[in-house]
Amino acid sequence: MITLLQLGAELGDEFFPADSPTFSASPVTGVHISELEDPTTYLEGGELLLTTGMPFGHSATASLAYMQRLRDKEVRALGLGLGPWLDEVPQHVIDACRQTGVELGIVPDGAPFQSVSRAYWRLSARDDTVNLMSSLGTQTALARAAIRSDAINAVVRGLAQALGGWAAFLPDDPQPATVYPASAQGFVPMLRQESLRFPRTGMPSASTFGINGQAVVLYPILAGTRIHGFLGVGSGRTLTKADRQIIMTVCMLLSLRARQRELMVSTNAALGTATAKLLLHGQPESARLVAEEAGMDELPSRVRVLALSLDDETEVRTVIQALGALPAGAALPPVAEAAARCQLRFTDDGVLYLLLDEAQLGKTSAAAPGQDPEPSAGDTARNLRAVLSAPLTLAELPANLPALRQNLSGAPAGELSDAGADFDASAQTWVEALAAYTRADLLSAVTQYLRHRGHWEDASRALGIHRNSLRHRITVAGDLLGIDLDDPDVSASLWLALRRNQG
């Protein structure tokens, strides 16, 4: 900002105070020339007004009225050019300036007003250069702060100090805001309320509003087109071009951090999916190696598999959020918090599998990830089918997966079902029905058929009957139970029940 003192020093004898040794350090926003009786219509306030005195120099009354108009417009400096209209400064002009607080400077005869304008713009160019260099230094320091472990705190603190005001970063989730200095914490609720006005799609721009009479600017922090948070700034003064450059740098740094977090979450999710897939396909040792190399938590020794129905239009996070609204049987532990934290997720053929650590089920954490529910979460909960397996070792997962899928297909919507209990009951009923059939030994026929994985020749040889006889018995068994024995989900559940019955 250029001051009247700087301008007087730059011009020397071409512009000097009328009734004091030096000019004050009052800021000057521009230089304007006018001979109108009321030039305030064309002024914004803060300018140095240059005039020959023609509108007011003839009388004390006119001088006082003129200076009062300047004061009301917040024009604090007047440059009086001698020569064309006045040979010297009238005392009533000096008195009017003192009375109204308008600082009076003299442009002597022969010194063109253009010299004053040129001097102002020379100083302005130098000031911009100094501000730019200072801004570059500040931006460099902020960029270094952005790679620290406490990057958000460091960047917000650096911005507030550079502006001489306060700054706050509000993540777009329930995580606490980062504010500097701490005395600005009270602004956070108002900033969050204002942030609700921003559209959640597209490319929203900054918003300016007032808090306690102070102008505040709120900037969205974007990664792509998604809002990851908001940066609030209050400086208590008009922001300069250099200030705005620093703020834009901070917005860019925060956006980069948001993008890094987004990539990290995406990478961790991909690694969790790969690990879960290996476990569900019977490769626990390979899964452990992947988890170890990726720096994931140690794999649990026992898990409960949570299977959720998933359609093409529903996001995974919405399905997981809907778990909190699902009623569950008294014997089942709460799963919503464990599901939100779960890294071991795998989606296959419309089913989302979550491998929940048995030791962590039912536990609550003060640092649990909280998110505002999606608007569609309630509808999702009403239509969601969910089943929870019995506790399983990692080696037992593949054998139980088909039965889990079968149970999910028949589970009621809108509640969490116990897969282990339902499967045991259904499969045991099938075994009892086969054993009770007296016209043929269906139990042995089905057992050998499943044992030999549907190979007619091997199964009939083990039974000592013709393969056509075996075909007939398998058809009778399917009709009796109302199931398809070639369905892998059905056959897996029935096979486990047959093994238990034999034991």
Side-chain angles (χ1 to χ4, degrees):
M1 184 69 70
I2 308 305
T3 67
L4 202 59
L5 180 62
Q6 288 176 295
L7 195 56
E10 180 76 11
L11 286 164
D13 293 339
E14 290 187 312
F15 183 59
F16 52 86
D19 63 340
S20 62
T22 59
F23 285 113
S24 72
S26 298
V28 176
T29 61
V31 177
H32 186 80
I33 302 172
S34 177
E35 299 296 345
L36 294 175
E37 183 176 345
D38 183 6
T40 57
T41 304
Y42 303 97
L43 301 174
E44 295 180 349
E47 297 95 339
L48 166 64
L49 178 62
L50 300 178
T51 177
T52 62
M54 187 183 302
F56 56 83
H58 57 280
S59 73
T61 301
S63 294
L64 181 59
Y66 187 89
M67 302 307 167
Q68 287 173 336
R69 286 192 290 271
L70 296 187
R71 178 196 62 194
D72 294 342
K73 191 66 176 182
E74 297 186 355
V75 176
R76 300 299 184 186
L78 178 70
L80 182 60
L82 301 180
W85 182 254
L86 297 172
D87 294 329
E88 59 182 15
V89 184
Q91 185 60 43
H92 62 257
V93 172
I94 295 176
D95 293 340
C97 286
R98 288 175 178 170
Q99 185 174 342
T100 57
V102 175
E103 199 162 352
L104 181 61
I106 303 301
V107 180
D109 188 12
F113 283 170
Q114 190 68 23
S115 297
V116 180
S117 297
R118 287 172 178 167
Y120 176 84
W121 290 112
R122 281 199 306 272
L123 289 170
S124 181
R126 293 177 202 162
D127 189 58
D128 285 346
T129 301
V130 171
N131 286 339
L132 177 59
M133 296 305 294
S134 175
S135 171
L136 289 173
T138 301
Q139 292 177 63
T140 301
L142 290 169
R144 289 173 179 164
I147 62 176
R148 292 170 44 174
S149 58
D150 62 338
I152 301 299
N153 286 324
V155 168
V156 169
R157 181 174 63 252
L159 174 61
Q161 292 172 340
L163 299 180
W166 60 267
F169 174 65
L170 289 67
D172 193 34
D173 57 42
Q175 297 299 317
T178 301
V179 182
Y180 188 88
S183 57
Q185 189 70 41
F187 296 144
V188 171
M190 290 174 276
L191 294 174
R192 286 205 181 277
Q193 184 64 33
E194 185 67 25
S195 72
L196 298 177
R197 303 175 185 271
F198 281 75
R200 287 315 195 234
T201 57
M203 298 293 288
S205 58
S207 170
T208 303
F209 54 97
I211 293 181
N212 299 337
Q214 180 187 38
V216 174
V217 188
L218 193 64
Y219 300 85
I221 303 302
L222 302 168
T225 59
R226 181 170 176 261
I227 294 178
H228 283 261
F230 298 89
L231 176 67
V233 174
S235 64
R237 60 177 173 79
T238 302
L239 295 174
T240 66
K241 181 178 180 181
D243 292 334
R244 289 191 290 272
Q245 288 175 334
I246 292 172
I247 294 172
M248 289 299 101
T249 297
V250 171
C251 288
M252 180 189 68
L253 292 173
L254 292 174
S255 294
L256 288 174
R257 293 287 297 186
R259 182 58 179 159
Q260 287 172 348
R261 288 194 301 272
E262 202 174 56
L263 290 173
M264 185 179 298
V265 169
S266 176
T267 300
N268 289 341
L271 292 170
T273 295
T275 305
K277 184 176 182 180
L278 289 169
L279 289 172
L280 293 173
H281 285 77
Q283 301 292 330
E285 292 307 317
S286 298
R288 285 192 176 91
L289 288 174
V290 170
E292 182 179 347
E293 290 297 322
M296 297 173 59
D297 296 337
E298 184 178 353
L299 295 181
S301 58
R302 289 170 66 83
V303 298
R304 298 187 74 164
V305 183
L306 177 62
L308 305 167
S309 57
L310 186 68
D311 58 49
D312 295 336
E313 299 179 357
T314 306
E315 293 187 6
V316 168
R317 66 174 180 174
T318 303
V319 171
I320 292 177
Q321 285 181 352
L323 287 171
L326 286 183
L332 293 178
V335 297
E337 185 174 322
R341 294 195 307 264
C342 180
Q343 294 179 295
L344 302 176
R345 305 176 181 179
F346 178 59
T347 302
D348 182 39
D349 195 21
V351 178
L352 171 63
Y353 300 98
L354 291 91
L355 278 56
L356 309 180
D357 187 347
E358 167 67 11
Q360 298 299 318
L361 277 177
K363 294 183 179 180
T364 58
S365 169
Q371 292 183 337
D372 294 332
E374 298 284 341
S376 58
D379 293 336
T380 301
R382 286 189 288 273
N383 298 312
L384 181 63
R385 288 179 287 112
V387 294
L388 184 65
S389 76
L392 302 168
T393 66
L394 299 184
E396 292 174 329
L397 289 174
N400 284 272
L401 195 60
L404 189 64
R405 291 184 64 96
Q406 176 66 21
N407 186 259
L408 181 65
S409 65
E415 65 181 68
L416 177 61
S417 302
D418 187 345
D422 289 347
F423 266 120
D424 288 346
S426 299
Q428 186 61 34
T429 300
W430 296 339
V431 172
E432 292 172 358
L434 293 173
Y437 191 80
T438 58
R439 298 176 61 182
D441 187 1
L442 296 185
L443 187 64
S444 297
V446 170
T447 299
Q448 293 302 324
Y449 181 72
L450 296 180
R451 183 188 301 278
H452 292 90
R453 302 180 182 181
H455 293 287
W456 299 106
E457 293 290 345
D458 294 341
S460 60
R461 187 180 301 113
L463 289 168
I465 62 175
H466 193 274
R467 64 176 179 273
N468 289 339
S469 298
L470 177 59
R471 288 179 186 275
H472 176 70
R473 293 182 187 182
I474 294 302
T475 300
V476 171
D479 292 341
L480 175 67
L481 303 179
I483 60 175
D484 180 5
L485 292 175
D486 291 324
D487 185 328
D489 293 337
V490 173
S491 61
S493 178
L494 180 53
W495 173 251
L496 291 174
L498 289 168
R499 292 288 302 271
R500 286 192 295 270
N501 190 64
Q502 292 172 356

